[in-house]
Every structure is written in structure tokens, then in C-alpha cells.
Amino acid sequence: MFLLHAGIAAVFAIAILLLPTRIYGRRLLLAIVASASVLLAVTWLAGVALLPLVSVAANDVLRQLIGGTVALGPWLVGAAAVAAIEAARQRTGTLRMADRLGLALSVYVALNFFGFEIGKALHDADMRQFFQASGYPVWSMYAVMAFETMGAIALLVPRLRTAAAMVLALIMLGAIATHARNGDPFADSLDALRMLLVAACILLLASSFKARGRMQG
């Protein structure tokens, strides 16, 4: 379902690019993806952070809200992929739009990781058990959490964005490989897959931004 929803979103994104005036279609798509990235990320993080602090009734509402942001993740990934490819293939005139899209996607990934780390801290015993059952020492869990947190922060620093996206992408590949080796359901890898694909979009935008910056310089 993840890939199906991402594919449908990609088709809609391509349709937007095919608007009669292409430059407006491009700007509209970039604006939609950038706005949705920030909105979903802020909503997700706020929900996760507030979850242990609210009443049972409010807890149910927050869980539904968090579930909604996760359900929209594949749609964002599909649209972001098309927007990133479109921004990257342009040779002139879209440096600012590409940079804004890269920043919005970086905010999305960073805030998601902050939420992940909160969840891991709240379920420390379960996470330690998972790492041990996967054949990893307990200390490696805290090392991964530290690298993810530093990577998330570094994503928000333009000069560190490329390196941070690469590190986080490698960690997500490791997470997916671990779940596959354990024989876990594919659904257990969806968060890692979502972060991996958005990190790939950030890397694509960063590389094209640098290339065009050299060309225009």
C-alpha cells in the first residue's frame, strides 16, 4: 500500500506539472510539497510529544492525529520525489525554489526523527530488547539514537545537510536490512523507508543546487 499510495501521489504531481503554464505548475507543486512537509512534521512531533502528558480521552485523539500524518507519508513521498526531480533537472531560474524545497524536506525528516527519539526513550525497555534480539549490543541502540539526533539537527544547517542526509540514509538502510533479516513484517520498515526516500530527495536537491551554483558562479 505504501508504494501504491506514493505512486498515485506521483501521478497527481506529474499532472500538476502538466498545467498549461509549466512554470506555475512547477511553483504550485513545490509550494504544496514544502507546505505539506512542514505541516505534517510539526503535527507529528507535537502529537508524539504530548501523548504521554494528556488524558486518556485526549490520548485517543492524538493517536488518530499521529496515525493520519503517518498515513499521508506515502503521498508526501511520491509528490516530493516528483518535485525534487523536477527541481533538480532545471538548469536555470529555480535555485531558490530548490533550496526552499530542500529546507522543507529537511525539516520534515528532522522533526520526524525527533519524534522517533522521543518514542524510543519512552519505550526504552522494548527498544533494548529489540536490539538484543536482532543481535546488537545494547550500547549500539544509544549510539544509533545519538547519530540520528545529531543527523536531524545537522539537516537544519545548510552546510551540513548533505552529509547529514547521507548518514541518516545509511542508518535507515541498516534499519530496513535488520527488519528483513529478522523476518519482521514489511510494515515495520515503512518509517525507515519513508525517511530513506525523503533523504534521497534531499541529496538530489543538494547535489543539483551545488552544481547549478557553480554554473551560475
Side-chain angles (χ1 to χ4, degrees):
M1 292 298 290
F2 180 98
L3 296 178
L4 175 62
H5 290 171
I8 294 173
V11 170
F12 277 115
I14 292 171
I16 293 174
L17 291 177
L18 295 178
L19 289 174
T21 307
R22 189 173 180 82
I23 184 63
Y24 292 125
R26 185 183 307 134
R27 288 175 176 171
L28 176 60
L29 177 60
L30 294 180
I32 290 173
V33 173
S35 300
S37 297
V38 176
L39 179 60
L40 288 177
V42 170
T43 304
W44 150 263
L45 181 59
V48 171
L50 291 174
L51 203 56
L53 305 176
V54 298
S55 65
V56 175
N59 196 287
D60 291 337
V61 174
L62 281 179
R63 288 187 183 279
Q64 292 180 7
L65 186 63
I66 293 169
T69 64
V70 173
L72 290 172
W75 295 84
L76 177 65
V77 168
V82 173
I85 293 171
E86 175 65 16
R89 64 187 290 271
Q90 299 302 314
R91 295 303 176 194
T92 58
T94 57
L95 276 174
R96 182 174 297 179
M97 286 190 289
D99 187 45
R100 287 177 178 173
L101 178 60
L103 174 59
L105 294 178
S106 296
V107 169
Y108 176 77
V109 173
L111 295 189
N112 269 270
F113 270 104
F114 293 153
F116 294 155
E117 306 320 314
I118 292 173
K120 290 173 184 174
L122 292 175
H123 299 88
D124 183 76
D126 292 335
M127 291 304 303
R128 283 191 279 111
Q129 183 178 3
F130 171 77
F131 268 72
Q132 289 179 311
S134 300
Y136 303 125
V138 172
W139 64 262
S140 66
M141 181 190 80
Y142 299 106
V144 168
M145 290 175 65
F147 276 109
E148 288 178 345
T149 301
M150 290 187 293
I153 295 171
L155 272 180
L156 305 178
V157 181
R159 291 185 179 181
L160 302 176
R161 185 169 297 154
T162 299
M166 290 180 64
V167 169
L168 292 174
L170 289 173
I171 294 174
M172 293 303 95
L173 282 172
I176 293 171
T178 297
H179 283 300
R181 187 187 63 189
N182 291 349
D184 298 330
F186 180 66
D188 290 356
S189 298
L190 290 184
D191 282 337
L193 178 60
R194 179 162 50 94
M195 293 299 102
L196 173 62
L197 293 175
V198 179
C201 292
I202 294 170
L203 289 171
L204 175 62
L205 288 166
S207 62
S208 66
F209 186 82
K210 289 180 181 178
R212 279 179 288 169
R214 288 193 296 268
M215 291 173 59
Q216 295 185 13

